[in-house]
Amino acid sequence: MKIISTLLLSLYTYAQYLPEFVKVEGGSFEMGSSLGDSDESPVHQVTLDGFSMSKYEITNKQYCAFLNERGN
């Protein structure tokens, strides 16, 4: 029972640092420029799969909790 209560307390404590995520739909777009600097060409099509990302910037406190959870 002590292990379960410790685990639940750990999950509750860690949960307050979890960021809110939003879904970003995948798709294709043209990347590059034929009018800009040489490192901006050629114009080419890029396709990305959908992914999730944090809705807001990650705080130092959240990043610290992440590092502590990983043991770094």
Side-chain angles (χ1 to χ4, degrees), residues 1-56:
M1 186 65 153
K2 181 175 170 123
I3 293 173
I4 293 173
S5 61
T6 303
L7 177 61
L8 289 175
L9 180 60
S10 176
L11 289 174
Y12 175 77
T13 302
Y14 184 68
Q16 67 182 329
Y17 300 112
L18 293 176
E20 182 180 348
F21 284 90
V22 294
K23 175 81 173 150
V24 178
E25 297 296 327
S28 299
F29 64 96
E30 296 290 318
M31 181 175 178
S33 172
S34 57
L35 303 174
D37 294 334
S38 62
D39 65 345
E40 297 174 355
S41 62
V43 176
H44 58 286
Q45 184 168 338
V46 175
T47 301
L48 297 174
D49 294 333
F51 60 94
S52 294
M53 67 183 292
S54 175
K55 187 173 182 177
Y56 305 103

